[in-house]
Amino acid sequence: MQNVLLCVSLALIGGLFMSRLARLVGLPAVTAYLVTGLLLGPYCLGRLGLAGIGFHTMADVGAMGIIPDAALGFIAFTIGNEFRLADLKHMGRQAVTVGILQAVVTTVVVDAALVGLHFAFPGAISIPSAITLGAIAAATAPAATLMVVRQYRADGPLTRLLLMVVAIDDAVGLVLFSASFGVAGALEQGGVSFVTVVLEPVLEIVLSLLLGAGAGFVLDWSERYFHSRGNRISVSVAFVLLTVGLSMVEFRLGPVQCGFSLLLVCMMTGTVFCNICETSGALMERLDRWTTPLSILFFILSGAELDLQILGNPMVLLIGGVYIAARSAGKFFGAYSSCALTHCDPKIQKHLGITLLPQAGVALGMALTAAQLSDGAMVRNVVLFSVLIYELVGPTLTKNALFAAGEIHPDEMKPAAG
């Protein structure tokens, strides 16, 4: 236990100091935390085997799994705060349209590129894996996006639309992945199942939204019995952790496997709570301060999870390169065309796609499910490679896009203590 505490404290301290160095060269703190995780991971300092210094094995990183899950819960809860009725009246239709269309366009572009790669090099990747990777490409990492927005205090039409689209993107990505993975399994096994392709993903979304809505109402009711700041924060933290735990429950109803999406449950809890609680704004602000160390650890552990060994596999680099190029093109043109269709401001049309590039936890979770395919290991490795690239480069691109759109004040870009 003492080694775990030493490792966690070193990770936090190291991440904070790295973020100061990153700011001096104009990089977001997210990138610094990820690099810190890489340095402390099994392929750098962790390889030395010194007690309390780094994560020695991937199993050590996996043992910290409760921290990323809890952090994602708080991140989703915070993003739910962006879905206030006042904002939805102005941007709701745009957010839904852009969120759905850019995800679908990205999936189609990546599918076309990887299926084309299959016909050019049949031994590189199978069609089921190509279809599955196309769906995984739709997912965007909400954590990195939110961290950049917070660090640089970004605000404006692009930022508000971005946070809504990122949240919607997870729901759309879930449906696309479930349907594509069902089709991929059918191609390998020779049969299409309505239950796995349609019923289970739709049921997961509905159940997640219902559970989240219920938790939001109960949280608001519970908050009324407490008046001090400390007690109200404690109640909020307890409810987010409760929804994270409940979202991991799985059960069967006859032939149907039922489960919940952690991100959707916590996001819906935040959405309902912020719309019915009069003091939710101040409470959310205080909650953000409380969860900052948890968010830092989330990114450090994400960096430690990145497997550097995949860089030695030429086939992973080939498929990963095609995947990254196609996904980037899909996100950019999907966002641009859908923004043009909904008459968004030209600045939003130009810059939104770039801000949707970060990819991490959600995609890795999908890749873990895709491991059931005959060459599922290749799918996982390609996603790992893309996450390595996107998480190191994506936050900087997001920062630059928000700055170019005029939603980050120039003073926030300067090195400063804090």
Side-chain angles (χ1 to χ4, degrees), residues 200-220:
E200 287 184 356
V202 172
L203 190 60
E204 180 173 336
I205 291 174
V206 172
L207 289 175
S208 298
L209 295 178
L210 289 175
L211 176 59
F217 280 109
V218 177
L219 173 57
D220 176 60

Side-chain angles (χ1 to χ4, degrees), residues 22 49 78 238 293 296 302:
T78 301
I296 293 173
S302 297

